[in-house]
Amino acid sequence: MNFNLPVLAPSILAADFSQLGNDIEQCTDAGIDWIHCDIMDGHFVPNISYGPAIVKAAAESAPEAFMDVHLMIEDPDKYVGDYVDAGADLITVHYEACPHLHRSLQNIKKYGLMAGVAVNPATSLHNLEPVLEYADLILIMSVNPGFGGQSFIESSYDRLQEMARLKEEKGYSYLIEVDGGVGLKNIEQVRESGAEILVAGSSVFKAENIGNRVKELLSKL
Ligand code: DX5
Ligand code: ZN
């Protein structure tokens, strides 16, 4: 699939769940066509967010949007089918949660979806080398996973640059996604460091006017 890069990907983790459809529509009306869904199980990360039913509701609120599901859960292989049924277009699993990572990616691709790998801030990027040729997306966590509204971890800039260098040097086709602490103050530097898909939760959904904030962020990409 070809994407009009860079992409701003609102994370609905920060949305007002009492009016999720309306919050999402404010994003799509402002030009968003990629929605990021953060799934947390309270085991892999110290927080529980939401499950397939909310992903399905979000997908129905934005039928044209690309649904990007980030599984911050233990044993993700067990739940991939549920997120396929909920309308996911891409599913990302954590390197740290997958003892058989290559098989986990095969398990996602067999449904015809794109498959991504996420790494936490303390995980060496060298661990990804065996799957870079096979992954459709690499997600660089720029916060410790589990909560929205955290500060961007500065070392993430170098990690994004490393993934961009490798992609260029080896001719890999993975998309480079960044997730956590992205906002008006740093979005340009994050983009310049190589991020192609920029996840933003609080910066979008905690703004006074979601649509205007989306346009402001897009204007900086
Ligand atoms: C962390 C979550 C957050 C979320 C983005 O586990 O994955 O990074 O997507 O949240 P903000 O943009 O509020 O940091
Ligand atoms: Zn995420």
Side-chain angles (χ1 to χ4, degrees), residues 11 13-14 36-50 70-73 94 118-121 139 141-151 153 179-181 202:
S11 161
L13 183 71
H36 185 82
C37 301
D38 283 310
I39 311 301
M40 302 176 184
D41 64 357
H43 294 281
F44 180 71
V45 291
N47 190 15
I48 295 175
S49 59
Y50 51 84
H70 174 192
L71 296 182
M72 289 169 271
I73 66 174
H94 266 262
V119 279
N120 289 331
L139 168 46
M141 287 306 296
S142 39
V143 295
N144 288 299
F147 303 92
Q150 300 180 82
S151 301
I153 296 173
D179 182 0
S202 313

Side-chain angles (χ1 to χ4, degrees), residues 13-197:
L13 183 71
D16 175 349
F17 279 74
S18 70
Q19 55 168 36
L20 179 61
N22 179 274
D23 275 17
I24 290 174
E25 275 158 30
Q26 290 183 65
C27 291
T28 51
D29 289 350
I32 291 298
D33 57 8
W34 182 302
I35 299 290
H36 185 82
C37 301
D38 283 310
I39 311 301
M40 302 176 184
D41 64 357
H43 294 281
F44 180 71
V45 291
N47 190 15
I48 295 175
S49 59
Y50 51 84
I54 294 291
V55 172
K56 185 168 186 293
E60 286 164 358
S61 304
E64 303 305 313
F66 184 84
M67 298 306 291
D68 158 16
V69 174
H70 174 192
L71 296 182
M72 289 169 271
I73 66 174
E74 286 180 359
D75 196 3
D77 300 350
K78 220 160 86 179
Y79 301 95
V80 162
D82 295 339
Y83 289 97
V84 173
D85 295 345
D89 293 298
L90 173 145
I91 294 177
T92 296
V93 293
H94 266 262
Y95 162 81
E96 302 87 353
C98 298
H100 305 286
L101 179 58
H102 191 278
R103 181 185 291 143
S104 296
L105 298 176
Q106 285 178 319
N107 181 38
I108 296 166
K109 289 190 175 201
K110 79 180 183 202
Y111 289 99
L113 270 64
M114 289 175 67
V117 182
V119 279
N120 289 331
T123 300
S124 167
L125 297 180
H126 292 300
N127 294 301
L128 294 174
E129 278 161 21
V131 294
L132 290 180
E133 195 175 359
Y134 190 57
D136 297 309
L137 178 139
I138 298 296
L139 168 46
I140 300 293
M141 287 306 296
S142 39
V143 295
N144 288 299
F147 303 92
Q150 300 180 82
S151 301
F152 187 89
I153 296 173
E154 296 288 311
S155 58
S156 309
Y157 291 119
D158 289 347
R159 289 162 66 84
L160 287 165
Q161 283 168 359
E162 176 60 12
M163 294 319 299
R165 184 189 65 76
L166 270 173
K167 179 175 176 177
E168 175 70 28
E169 198 177 284
K170 309 272 188 186
Y172 292 135
S173 59
Y174 56 78
L175 292 168
I176 303 170
E177 185 173 77
V178 64
D179 182 0
V182 175
L184 288 173
K185 290 195 180 72
N186 63 11
I187 190 166
E188 287 158 309
Q189 187 178 353
V190 173
R191 169 66 189 130
E192 283 152 18
S193 298
E196 296 167 324
I197 316 287

